[in-house]
Amino acid sequence: MTLMIILTIQLFSNKELVHDPSENFESTELFIVNMPAIVETVPYICFLYMYQPNLPQVYEELRVRSEHNINRILLQVSLAAILVYSATGIFGYTIFVDDV
């Protein structure tokens, strides 16, 4: 979360690093399918979603222990992780688009 906040601040405030964010957004090519990059990225994605070892502890801390509650929590955590990692990736890519 901290990295996302820092990248967002840098994107919109540091004119030496990023001259004009709108130019970078316009010149950014998103969703380029590159098979070697996909193969390289999959282990990182798997690592980022490795919160399963914490599930027994989370389940024990629930006031009402039920399958519905744990599924709801897992959905919320997964959506939050997808949102944070996607935003960090997009802003990071946009900041350093010239170096890619």
Side-chain angles (χ1 to χ4, degrees), residues 33-40:
V33 178
N34 183 354
M35 204 58 185
I38 291 172
V39 172
E40 183 180 317

Side-chain angles (χ1 to χ4, degrees), residues 50-90:
M50 289 179 49
Y51 51 80
Q52 290 88 356
N54 297 329
L55 285 180
Q57 183 179 1
V58 170
Y59 185 77
E60 288 297 320
E61 292 179 7
L62 289 176
R63 286 187 209 139
V64 179
R65 295 180 186 137
S66 69
E67 186 177 338
H68 173 72
N69 282 347
I70 196 71
N71 286 338
R72 188 185 54 155
I73 289 171
L74 288 175
L75 178 65
Q76 291 172 352
V77 168
S78 296
L79 290 175
I82 289 170
L83 194 94
V84 168
Y85 290 131
S86 297
T88 303
I90 290 170

